[in-house]
Amino acid sequence: MTEKFSAEKLIGSEFVSKVTAQDVLFQWQRYAEASREKNPIVLSLPRYKFTDGASIGILTQWEAEGIFDQVRGRGVALIASLKDANATLDAIGAARWLRAFGAEEIMLVATRLYGLRQDDVFKKHGTKELRVETLTALDSISQIADASGLDGRRLINRLVIGEAHSHKAFQLASVKNLPTMGLTAYQFIADKIGLPQRVRSNWRVLNPDANRHSTSVLFAEYLGLKQVSFNKFRDRETRETILDKPEEVIRQLREEGVDTGVVFDDEFQTGHTVRLITDAAGEVLKNFIILASHANFSQETIRNLSSAKITEMVVTDALQPNVDITELPGGVKVQVLPLNESLSVVAGQLWRGDWQVPLAEGWQLDPWLQSAE
């Protein structure tokens, strides 16, 4: 018997689970229409290795650049990578400085929000197996939503999440009364590398997880390619991810004469899923093109991406990797696409509530939010 303890139970299932994509978009639009500032100043949070004085370092840099002279009475869109809890505190500290110098409203654009990739934990308790849903995402959102100045005003008024991984983040933020929007970069990345112009009929999009990866479905539709989906599950004992009956996928690829597989994933942490796919489909395919918005490279990730059949690897700078990498073990260069310039334009569109028109440079709303349109 499995009993589930989740965020819904902790803050009220009648609230969280009933929040719809339409509710989230309406909440955002209502705030956007009431916003005093229609053309915000867009700033990028400097990236520091965390120390107790990181926010002081931000203050010193922005003072030297004259930033604080520009923000009084204005709205600010602050772009930041919240890769860990420390980066979240840095962003809140930066918002506090901006408020102290007169910023009227702040929208935090998180190219990555800490905690969204935490997996459920299974624990034995007597005769029951408890499925404890990790609540790091709720903690991160709560920190942002609850942060206030000495005057009691909320520091951060709106939140934009890049590659949210689960729609629950939007539901939790809505319950915290924090207007939140989500973005996905699959078309932005594809367009930047000219992928639509290179597509061939014997290519397929390889969906890394048939049970949940709706972004991969949209990615395949955009490229005009068929999609082939792997099923994966996590072994409860070993905690390792395993592909379920990959031979069926391999048979399909062989029968259709496919020679190149394209994979888009929201994030590489260990690269284990990509290794499973390249190991399995490598029996048939000659080439793999691997794309990801978030790439938290580590030594383990590099080992898992060592297949000689990976011919192209493209990621963004949404995360500051644990290990600097410019080349995979097979000799393929890792192309890193900068986000901030593009997101500066998109931030202005979202601030004004212009999400119903095409966003700049191929950015798309999160798939769950798209379902409401």
Side-chain angles (χ1 to χ4, degrees):
M1 179 179 180
T2 299
E3 185 174 351
K4 183 176 179 181
F5 291 82
S6 66
E8 284 90 338
K9 284 193 174 184
L10 287 184
I11 64 176
S13 60
E14 69 275 18
F15 298 112
V16 177
S17 61
K18 291 182 180 179
V19 174
T20 67
Q22 289 92 336
D23 295 331
V24 172
L25 291 175
F26 176 77
Q27 189 177 37
W28 182 275
Q29 195 66 19
R30 183 175 58 183
Y31 192 96
E33 291 173 355
S35 175
R36 290 179 56 190
E37 174 64 66
K38 296 303 180 184
N39 293 295
I41 295 172
V42 181
L43 300 175
S44 296
L45 187 68
R47 294 184 177 184
Y48 287 90
K49 289 186 176 180
F50 180 77
T51 66
D52 284 344
S55 62
I56 300 297
I58 294 167
L59 169 67
T60 302
Q61 181 171 333
W62 279 350
E63 277 189 319
E65 294 173 354
I67 296 297
F68 293 121
D69 295 331
Q70 303 172 35
V71 302
R72 182 168 300 279
R74 299 288 305 277
V76 176
L78 179 63
I79 301 173
S81 175
L82 308 188
K83 65 172 291 184
D84 53 33
N86 297 329
T88 304
L89 291 175
D90 281 350
I92 292 172
R96 196 175 300 281
W97 287 120
L98 292 168
R99 286 289 203 181
F101 282 87
E104 285 292 329
E105 301 175 51
I106 297 174
M107 178 176 78
L108 177 60
V109 182
T111 57
R112 202 271 193 181
L113 183 66
Y114 175 58
L116 292 176
R117 290 296 299 252
Q118 301 298 321
D119 290 315
D120 294 351
V121 178
F122 294 87
K123 294 290 186 183
K124 289 286 187 182
H125 182 69
T127 59
K128 294 182 178 180
E129 182 181 60
L130 303 182
R131 180 183 176 189
V132 183
E133 187 175 85
T134 53
L135 300 177
T136 317
L138 173 60
D139 293 337
S140 295
I141 290 169
S142 294
Q143 274 190 303
I144 294 167
D146 296 340
S148 62
L150 294 176
D151 57 2
R153 287 198 308 165
R154 173 177 275 176
L155 293 178
I156 296 169
N157 307 97
R158 285 185 278 176
L159 173 66
V160 179
I161 304 173
E163 308 295 357
H165 191 63
S166 169
H167 66 269
K168 191 169 293 179
F170 306 116
Q171 293 175 314
L172 293 171
S174 180
V175 170
K176 297 291 292 184
N177 198 30
L178 177 65
T180 302
M181 186 65 78
L183 296 171
T184 179
Y186 70 85
Q187 185 177 326
F188 167 80
I189 296 174
D191 289 350
K192 284 294 182 183
I193 63 173
L195 194 60
Q197 291 75 34
R198 293 190 277 142
V199 165
R200 298 293 181 266
S201 60
N202 59 349
W203 290 19
R204 294 291 183 271
V205 169
L206 305 180
N207 186 343
D209 190 351
N211 295 319
R212 65 180 301 171
H213 209 315
S214 55
T215 308
S216 186
V217 176
L218 296 175
F219 179 55
E221 290 177 355
Y222 176 64
L223 294 179
L225 287 173
K226 293 181 181 179
Q227 178 185 241
V228 178
S229 297
F230 287 89
N231 286 294
K232 66 179 183 179
F233 64 93
R234 192 179 295 276
D235 186 281
R236 298 275 183 89
E237 298 298 326
T238 66
R239 300 299 297 153
E240 287 196 6
T241 301
I242 300 171
L243 295 183
D244 183 27
K245 300 179 180 178
E247 62 276 5
E248 295 179 2
V249 176
I250 294 168
R251 185 184 309 114
Q252 181 182 348
L253 294 172
R254 182 177 287 112
E255 290 174 352
E256 295 179 3
V258 179
D259 80 347
T260 298
V262 187
V263 178
F264 174 83
D265 206 350
D266 53 357
E267 180 167 331
F268 298 147
Q269 286 206 331
T270 65
H272 183 66
T273 298
V274 173
R275 182 180 66 79
L276 291 175
I277 291 174
T278 55
D279 284 352
E283 295 181 22
V284 179
L285 303 187
K286 297 178 181 178
N287 308 295
F288 292 93
I289 299 172
I290 311 296
L291 315 177
S293 293
H294 301 148
N296 196 22
F297 285 111
S298 64
Q299 294 296 344
E300 182 181 5
T301 314
I302 294 169
R303 287 193 299 272
N304 283 329
L305 298 175
S306 62
S307 171
K309 291 192 175 183
I310 296 177
T311 54
E312 193 168 354
M313 167 70 70
V314 185
V315 300
T316 76
D317 65 353
L319 274 174
Q320 210 168 5
N322 291 327
V323 176
D324 290 332
I325 180 170
T326 58
E327 186 175 298
L328 296 181
V332 173
K333 300 293 184 182
V334 178
Q335 184 176 354
V336 182
L337 301 177
L339 293 182
N340 283 6
E341 183 177 346
S342 176
L343 279 178
S344 295
V345 180
V346 175
Q349 290 181 278
L350 294 179
W351 183 287
R352 296 185 293 272
D354 294 340
W355 52 268
Q356 293 171 309
V357 300
L359 297 176
E361 297 200 343
W363 284 91
Q364 301 291 314
L365 294 188
D366 180 89
W368 187 69
L369 297 177
Q370 287 189 43
S371 70
E373 294 186 86

PDB file of all heavy atoms in Angstrom, residues 287-290 297 302 305-314 325-335:
ATOM      1  N   ASN A 287      23.698   9.049 -36.112  1.00  0.00           N
ATOM      2  CA  ASN A 287      23.947  10.375 -35.539  1.00  0.00           C
ATOM      3  C   ASN A 287      22.908  10.701 -34.479  1.00  0.00           C
ATOM      4  O   ASN A 287      21.732  10.331 -34.604  1.00  0.00           O
ATOM      5  CB  ASN A 287      23.879  11.464 -36.626  1.00  0.00           C
ATOM      6  CG  ASN A 287      24.749  11.159 -37.820  1.00  0.00           C
ATOM      7  OD1 ASN A 287      25.967  11.105 -37.704  1.00  0.00           O
ATOM      8  ND2 ASN A 287      24.125  10.939 -38.972  1.00  0.00           N
ATOM      9  N   PHE A 288      23.357  11.444 -33.469  1.00  0.00           N
ATOM     10  CA  PHE A 288      22.455  12.001 -32.464  1.00  0.00           C
ATOM     11  C   PHE A 288      22.728  13.498 -32.349  1.00  0.00           C
ATOM     12  O   PHE A 288      23.888  13.913 -32.231  1.00  0.00           O
ATOM     13  CB  PHE A 288      22.667  11.355 -31.092  1.00  0.00           C
ATOM     14  CG  PHE A 288      22.256   9.918 -31.016  1.00  0.00           C
ATOM     15  CD1 PHE A 288      23.171   8.912 -31.250  1.00  0.00           C
ATOM     16  CD2 PHE A 288      20.947   9.574 -30.709  1.00  0.00           C
ATOM     17  CE1 PHE A 288      22.802   7.584 -31.174  1.00  0.00           C
ATOM     18  CE2 PHE A 288      20.561   8.244 -30.633  1.00  0.00           C
ATOM     19  CZ  PHE A 288      21.482   7.245 -30.864  1.00  0.00           C
ATOM     20  N   ILE A 289      21.668  14.294 -32.388  1.00  0.00           N
ATOM     21  CA  ILE A 289      21.750  15.730 -32.127  1.00  0.00           C
ATOM     22  C   ILE A 289      21.075  15.954 -30.780  1.00  0.00           C
ATOM     23  O   ILE A 289      19.888  15.663 -30.615  1.00  0.00           O
ATOM     24  CB  ILE A 289      21.056  16.538 -33.234  1.00  0.00           C
ATOM     25  CG1 ILE A 289      21.735  16.290 -34.586  1.00  0.00           C
ATOM     26  CG2 ILE A 289      21.075  18.032 -32.901  1.00  0.00           C
ATOM     27  CD1 ILE A 289      20.995  16.905 -35.766  1.00  0.00           C
ATOM     28  N   ILE A 290      21.807  16.452 -29.805  1.00  0.00           N
ATOM     29  CA  ILE A 290      21.316  16.579 -28.439  1.00  0.00           C
ATOM     30  C   ILE A 290      21.190  18.057 -28.083  1.00  0.00           C
ATOM     31  O   ILE A 290      22.163  18.814 -28.174  1.00  0.00           O
ATOM     32  CB  ILE A 290      22.260  15.892 -27.431  1.00  0.00           C
ATOM     33  CG1 ILE A 290      22.604  14.469 -27.894  1.00  0.00           C
ATOM     34  CG2 ILE A 290      21.642  15.896 -26.052  1.00  0.00           C
ATOM     35  CD1 ILE A 290      21.440  13.522 -27.951  1.00  0.00           C
ATOM     36  N   PHE A 297      26.578  20.401 -16.208  1.00  0.00           N
ATOM     37  CA  PHE A 297      27.631  19.438 -16.477  1.00  0.00           C
ATOM     38  C   PHE A 297      28.420  19.085 -15.216  1.00  0.00           C
ATOM     39  O   PHE A 297      28.788  19.938 -14.425  1.00  0.00           O
ATOM     40  CB  PHE A 297      28.598  19.973 -17.536  1.00  0.00           C
ATOM     41  CG  PHE A 297      28.054  19.932 -18.924  1.00  0.00           C
ATOM     42  CD1 PHE A 297      27.744  21.106 -19.602  1.00  0.00           C
ATOM     43  CD2 PHE A 297      27.837  18.721 -19.561  1.00  0.00           C
ATOM     44  CE1 PHE A 297      27.246  21.072 -20.885  1.00  0.00           C
ATOM     45  CE2 PHE A 297      27.339  18.676 -20.856  1.00  0.00           C
ATOM     46  CZ  PHE A 297      27.038  19.853 -21.516  1.00  0.00           C
ATOM     47  N   ILE A 302      29.594  14.180 -18.283  1.00  0.00           N
ATOM     48  CA  ILE A 302      30.530  14.071 -19.403  1.00  0.00           C
ATOM     49  C   ILE A 302      30.731  12.607 -19.782  1.00  0.00           C
ATOM     50  O   ILE A 302      30.755  12.250 -20.961  1.00  0.00           O
ATOM     51  CB  ILE A 302      31.864  14.753 -19.047  1.00  0.00           C
ATOM     52  CG1 ILE A 302      31.637  16.268 -18.878  1.00  0.00           C
ATOM     53  CG2 ILE A 302      32.915  14.497 -20.121  1.00  0.00           C
ATOM     54  CD1 ILE A 302      32.811  17.003 -18.288  1.00  0.00           C
ATOM     55  N   LEU A 305      27.832  11.300 -21.750  1.00  0.00           N
ATOM     56  CA  LEU A 305      27.684  11.875 -23.090  1.00  0.00           C
ATOM     57  C   LEU A 305      28.887  11.540 -23.977  1.00  0.00           C
ATOM     58  O   LEU A 305      29.235  12.301 -24.866  1.00  0.00           O
ATOM     59  CB  LEU A 305      27.530  13.399 -22.985  1.00  0.00           C
ATOM     60  CG  LEU A 305      26.301  13.897 -22.223  1.00  0.00           C
ATOM     61  CD1 LEU A 305      26.333  15.420 -22.093  1.00  0.00           C
ATOM     62  CD2 LEU A 305      25.011  13.460 -22.895  1.00  0.00           C
ATOM     63  N   SER A 306      29.477  10.392 -23.731  1.00  0.00           N
ATOM     64  CA  SER A 306      30.709  10.031 -24.427  1.00  0.00           C
ATOM     65  C   SER A 306      30.484   9.260 -25.718  1.00  0.00           C
ATOM     66  O   SER A 306      31.452   8.899 -26.393  1.00  0.00           O
ATOM     67  CB  SER A 306      31.608   9.204 -23.495  1.00  0.00           C
ATOM     68  OG  SER A 306      30.952   7.995 -23.124  1.00  0.00           O
ATOM     69  N   SER A 307      29.221   9.004 -26.094  1.00  0.00           N
ATOM     70  CA  SER A 307      28.961   8.236 -27.311  1.00  0.00           C
ATOM     71  C   SER A 307      29.564   8.929 -28.532  1.00  0.00           C
ATOM     72  O   SER A 307      29.373  10.129 -28.751  1.00  0.00           O
ATOM     73  CB  SER A 307      27.456   8.065 -27.532  1.00  0.00           C
ATOM     74  OG  SER A 307      27.185   7.513 -28.812  1.00  0.00           O
ATOM     75  N   ALA A 308      30.275   8.154 -29.345  1.00  0.00           N
ATOM     76  CA  ALA A 308      30.902   8.701 -30.555  1.00  0.00           C
ATOM     77  C   ALA A 308      29.858   9.104 -31.589  1.00  0.00           C
ATOM     78  O   ALA A 308      30.174   9.829 -32.544  1.00  0.00           O
ATOM     79  CB  ALA A 308      31.853   7.674 -31.148  1.00  0.00           C
ATOM     80  N   LYS A 309      28.619   8.646 -31.405  1.00  0.00           N
ATOM     81  CA  LYS A 309      27.580   8.957 -32.379  1.00  0.00           C
ATOM     82  C   LYS A 309      26.860  10.274 -32.076  1.00  0.00           C
ATOM     83  O   LYS A 309      26.004  10.699 -32.845  1.00  0.00           O
ATOM     84  CB  LYS A 309      26.572   7.814 -32.450  1.00  0.00           C
ATOM     85  CG  LYS A 309      27.168   6.550 -33.070  1.00  0.00           C
ATOM     86  CD  LYS A 309      26.125   5.515 -33.405  1.00  0.00           C
ATOM     87  CE  LYS A 309      26.746   4.338 -34.138  1.00  0.00           C
ATOM     88  NZ  LYS A 309      25.730   3.338 -34.552  1.00  0.00           N
ATOM     89  N   ILE A 310      27.189  10.922 -30.966  1.00  0.00           N
ATOM     90  CA  ILE A 310      26.678  12.276 -30.719  1.00  0.00           C
ATOM     91  C   ILE A 310      27.464  13.221 -31.618  1.00  0.00           C
ATOM     92  O   ILE A 310      28.664  13.429 -31.434  1.00  0.00           O
ATOM     93  CB  ILE A 310      26.826  12.683 -29.243  1.00  0.00           C
ATOM     94  CG1 ILE A 310      25.969  11.788 -28.350  1.00  0.00           C
ATOM     95  CG2 ILE A 310      26.423  14.150 -29.059  1.00  0.00           C
ATOM     96  CD1 ILE A 310      26.105  12.072 -26.863  1.00  0.00           C
ATOM     97  N   THR A 311      26.800  13.769 -32.613  1.00  0.00           N
ATOM     98  CA  THR A 311      27.484  14.614 -33.595  1.00  0.00           C
ATOM     99  C   THR A 311      27.257  16.100 -33.358  1.00  0.00           C
ATOM    100  O   THR A 311      27.928  16.937 -33.979  1.00  0.00           O
ATOM    101  CB  THR A 311      27.013  14.262 -35.017  1.00  0.00           C
ATOM    102  OG1 THR A 311      25.576  14.332 -35.071  1.00  0.00           O
ATOM    103  CG2 THR A 311      27.444  12.857 -35.393  1.00  0.00           C
ATOM    104  N   GLU A 312      26.312  16.435 -32.469  1.00  0.00           N
ATOM    105  CA  GLU A 312      26.036  17.846 -32.190  1.00  0.00           C
ATOM    106  C   GLU A 312      25.445  17.967 -30.792  1.00  0.00           C
ATOM    107  O   GLU A 312      24.566  17.205 -30.410  1.00  0.00           O
ATOM    108  CB  GLU A 312      25.063  18.403 -33.227  1.00  0.00           C
ATOM    109  CG  GLU A 312      24.941  19.913 -33.230  1.00  0.00           C
ATOM    110  CD  GLU A 312      24.187  20.434 -34.447  1.00  0.00           C
ATOM    111  OE1 GLU A 312      23.858  19.616 -35.346  1.00  0.00           O
ATOM    112  OE2 GLU A 312      23.916  21.652 -34.502  1.00  0.00           O
ATOM    113  N   MET A 313      25.958  18.907 -30.021  1.00  0.00           N
ATOM    114  CA  MET A 313      25.480  19.158 -28.667  1.00  0.00           C
ATOM    115  C   MET A 313      25.290  20.657 -28.494  1.00  0.00           C
ATOM    116  O   MET A 313      26.241  21.432 -28.637  1.00  0.00           O
ATOM    117  CB  MET A 313      26.477  18.629 -27.642  1.00  0.00           C
ATOM    118  CG  MET A 313      26.251  19.105 -26.213  1.00  0.00           C
ATOM    119  SD  MET A 313      24.776  18.413 -25.445  1.00  0.00           S
ATOM    120  CE  MET A 313      25.283  16.712 -25.239  1.00  0.00           C
ATOM    121  N   VAL A 314      24.055  21.090 -28.212  1.00  0.00           N
ATOM    122  CA  VAL A 314      23.757  22.513 -28.060  1.00  0.00           C
ATOM    123  C   VAL A 314      22.992  22.721 -26.761  1.00  0.00           C
ATOM    124  O   VAL A 314      21.973  22.054 -26.510  1.00  0.00           O
ATOM    125  CB  VAL A 314      22.924  23.053 -29.242  1.00  0.00           C
ATOM    126  CG1 VAL A 314      22.736  24.561 -29.102  1.00  0.00           C
ATOM    127  CG2 VAL A 314      23.600  22.724 -30.568  1.00  0.00           C
ATOM    128  N   ILE A 325      33.053  22.968 -19.680  1.00  0.00           N
ATOM    129  CA  ILE A 325      33.229  22.000 -20.752  1.00  0.00           C
ATOM    130  C   ILE A 325      33.023  22.690 -22.092  1.00  0.00           C
ATOM    131  O   ILE A 325      32.082  23.473 -22.257  1.00  0.00           O
ATOM    132  CB  ILE A 325      32.258  20.810 -20.598  1.00  0.00           C
ATOM    133  CG1 ILE A 325      32.460  19.797 -21.736  1.00  0.00           C
ATOM    134  CG2 ILE A 325      30.821  21.262 -20.530  1.00  0.00           C
ATOM    135  CD1 ILE A 325      31.732  18.491 -21.527  1.00  0.00           C
ATOM    136  N   THR A 326      33.906  22.443 -23.001  1.00  0.00           N
ATOM    137  CA  THR A 326      33.779  22.983 -24.354  1.00  0.00           C
ATOM    138  C   THR A 326      33.727  21.875 -25.396  1.00  0.00           C
ATOM    139  O   THR A 326      33.397  22.133 -26.547  1.00  0.00           O
ATOM    140  CB  THR A 326      34.961  23.910 -24.683  1.00  0.00           C
ATOM    141  OG1 THR A 326      36.184  23.168 -24.545  1.00  0.00           O
ATOM    142  CG2 THR A 326      34.990  25.116 -23.740  1.00  0.00           C
ATOM    143  N   GLU A 327      34.044  20.641 -24.964  1.00  0.00           N
ATOM    144  CA  GLU A 327      34.123  19.546 -25.920  1.00  0.00           C
ATOM    145  C   GLU A 327      33.763  18.233 -25.222  1.00  0.00           C
ATOM    146  O   GLU A 327      34.162  17.992 -24.077  1.00  0.00           O
ATOM    147  CB  GLU A 327      35.545  19.475 -26.468  1.00  0.00           C
ATOM    148  CG  GLU A 327      35.745  18.478 -27.590  1.00  0.00           C
ATOM    149  CD  GLU A 327      37.151  18.549 -28.153  1.00  0.00           C
ATOM    150  OE1 GLU A 327      37.531  19.619 -28.685  1.00  0.00           O
ATOM    151  OE2 GLU A 327      37.869  17.534 -28.041  1.00  0.00           O
ATOM    152  N   LEU A 328      32.994  17.390 -25.913  1.00  0.00           N
ATOM    153  CA  LEU A 328      32.648  16.075 -25.384  1.00  0.00           C
ATOM    154  C   LEU A 328      33.811  15.105 -25.594  1.00  0.00           C
ATOM    155  O   LEU A 328      34.697  15.359 -26.425  1.00  0.00           O
ATOM    156  CB  LEU A 328      31.408  15.543 -26.084  1.00  0.00           C
ATOM    157  CG  LEU A 328      30.109  16.323 -25.873  1.00  0.00           C
ATOM    158  CD1 LEU A 328      28.953  15.653 -26.604  1.00  0.00           C
ATOM    159  CD2 LEU A 328      29.790  16.467 -24.393  1.00  0.00           C
ATOM    160  N   PRO A 329      33.821  13.986 -24.864  1.00  0.00           N
ATOM    161  CA  PRO A 329      34.924  13.019 -25.016  1.00  0.00           C
ATOM    162  C   PRO A 329      35.108  12.540 -26.450  1.00  0.00           C
ATOM    163  O   PRO A 329      36.230  12.226 -26.861  1.00  0.00           O
ATOM    164  CB  PRO A 329      34.497  11.870 -24.101  1.00  0.00           C
ATOM    165  CG  PRO A 329      33.669  12.518 -23.051  1.00  0.00           C
ATOM    166  CD  PRO A 329      32.929  13.605 -23.747  1.00  0.00           C
ATOM    167  N   GLY A 330      34.008  12.501 -27.237  1.00  0.00           N
ATOM    168  CA  GLY A 330      34.118  12.063 -28.630  1.00  0.00           C
ATOM    169  C   GLY A 330      34.659  13.119 -29.570  1.00  0.00           C
ATOM    170  O   GLY A 330      34.784  12.869 -30.776  1.00  0.00           O
ATOM    171  N   GLY A 331      34.955  14.310 -29.033  1.00  0.00           N
ATOM    172  CA  GLY A 331      35.540  15.373 -29.847  1.00  0.00           C
ATOM    173  C   GLY A 331      34.547  16.407 -30.343  1.00  0.00           C
ATOM    174  O   GLY A 331      34.940  17.384 -30.991  1.00  0.00           O
ATOM    175  N   VAL A 332      33.261  16.235 -30.046  1.00  0.00           N
ATOM    176  CA  VAL A 332      32.245  17.180 -30.518  1.00  0.00           C
ATOM    177  C   VAL A 332      32.262  18.439 -29.645  1.00  0.00           C
ATOM    178  O   VAL A 332      32.269  18.351 -28.409  1.00  0.00           O
ATOM    179  CB  VAL A 332      30.840  16.530 -30.468  1.00  0.00           C
ATOM    180  CG1 VAL A 332      29.761  17.548 -30.787  1.00  0.00           C
ATOM    181  CG2 VAL A 332      30.772  15.370 -31.442  1.00  0.00           C
ATOM    182  N   LYS A 333      32.287  19.600 -30.298  1.00  0.00           N
ATOM    183  CA  LYS A 333      32.259  20.860 -29.582  1.00  0.00           C
ATOM    184  C   LYS A 333      30.871  21.080 -28.962  1.00  0.00           C
ATOM    185  O   LYS A 333      29.847  20.776 -29.582  1.00  0.00           O
ATOM    186  CB  LYS A 333      32.568  22.032 -30.511  1.00  0.00           C
ATOM    187  CG  LYS A 333      33.932  21.956 -31.190  1.00  0.00           C
ATOM    188  CD  LYS A 333      35.066  22.103 -30.186  1.00  0.00           C
ATOM    189  CE  LYS A 333      36.417  22.119 -30.904  1.00  0.00           C
ATOM    190  NZ  LYS A 333      37.549  22.205 -29.939  1.00  0.00           N
ATOM    191  N   VAL A 334      30.834  21.594 -27.748  1.00  0.00           N
ATOM    192  CA  VAL A 334      29.578  21.936 -27.089  1.00  0.00           C
ATOM    193  C   VAL A 334      29.264  23.396 -27.395  1.00  0.00           C
ATOM    194  O   VAL A 334      30.032  24.291 -27.044  1.00  0.00           O
ATOM    195  CB  VAL A 334      29.670  21.727 -25.567  1.00  0.00           C
ATOM    196  CG1 VAL A 334      28.360  22.148 -24.898  1.00  0.00           C
ATOM    197  CG2 VAL A 334      29.983  20.271 -25.252  1.00  0.00           C
ATOM    198  N   GLN A 335      28.154  23.629 -28.070  1.00  0.00           N
ATOM    199  CA  GLN A 335      27.753  24.993 -28.414  1.00  0.00           C
ATOM    200  C   GLN A 335      26.844  25.532 -27.310  1.00  0.00           C
ATOM    201  O   GLN A 335      25.836  24.908 -26.967  1.00  0.00           O
ATOM    202  CB  GLN A 335      27.011  25.010 -29.753  1.00  0.00           C
ATOM    203  CG  GLN A 335      26.653  26.427 -30.223  1.00  0.00           C
ATOM    204  CD  GLN A 335      25.993  26.434 -31.592  1.00  0.00           C
ATOM    205  OE1 GLN A 335      25.896  25.394 -32.258  1.00  0.00           O
ATOM    206  NE2 GLN A 335      25.545  27.591 -32.024  1.00  0.00           N
TER     207      GLN A 335
END
